[in-house]
Amino acid sequence: MADEKDPKKQGQINIELDEKIAEGIYSNLAIINHSVSEFVVDFVSIMPGTPKSKVKSRIILTPQHAKRLLKALADNVNRFEQAHGEIKDYEQAPIPLNFGPTGEA
C-alpha cells in the first residue's frame, strides 16, 4: 500500500475525540500532588455559596509527562499573550480545602 511507505504517514497517531469528552469539563481549581513516580492533577469546579465541591476529573502523569505538560502550557500561554496581551493574574484569598475527616479525636 502507498500509505505504508509514505514518510508523512509513518509515526502519526490517530486520536479519536467522542462527543461527551469534546464537551469538556469546567474547572476553576487544580490541585496537584506528586509522589516519586507520578503527578496527580485533580480538577475541581468551585462555585460561590456552595459549601461542597467535587473533583470533576483526575489526570495521572509520569514525571516526564508532567514536565512536558508544563512546557506545553508555558508555550501556549506565551503565544496567547503575544496575540491577545498579558493575562492578568489576580490575587485570590486562599481557599480552605477540606478532604474529609482529619482523624482528630
Side-chain angles (χ1 to χ4, degrees):
M1 294 187 142
D3 286 345
E4 291 176 10
K5 295 181 183 180
D6 185 352
K8 292 179 184 175
K9 298 268 182 179
Q10 291 181 352
Q12 287 185 349
I13 299 173
N14 186 7
I15 298 173
E16 185 176 312
L17 180 64
D18 67 36
E19 288 182 33
K20 180 71 176 159
I21 299 297
E23 290 176 12
I25 296 173
Y26 177 78
S27 172
N28 55 6
L29 175 68
I31 302 167
I32 304 170
N33 292 293
H34 67 275
S35 68
V36 175
S37 60
E38 62 196 13
F39 278 72
V40 178
V41 185
D42 288 330
F43 293 95
V44 182
S45 177
I46 296 179
M47 294 297 146
T50 305
K52 189 175 185 179
S53 297
K54 288 186 176 183
V55 171
K56 298 293 185 177
S57 183
R58 171 174 279 186
I59 306 297
I60 302 169
L61 305 157
T62 65
Q64 292 80 13
H65 285 118
K67 192 164 188 176
R68 287 182 192 154
L69 176 61
L70 173 68
K71 289 179 181 179
L73 279 171
D75 180 54
N76 277 269
V77 167
N78 287 332
R79 286 190 281 145
F80 178 93
E81 288 183 329
Q82 287 174 0
H84 305 286
E86 182 181 353
I87 299 170
K88 303 266 188 278
D89 188 13
Y90 299 106
E91 289 292 322
Q92 292 184 345
I95 299 170
L97 300 176
N98 180 2
F99 289 105
T102 60
E104 296 176 4

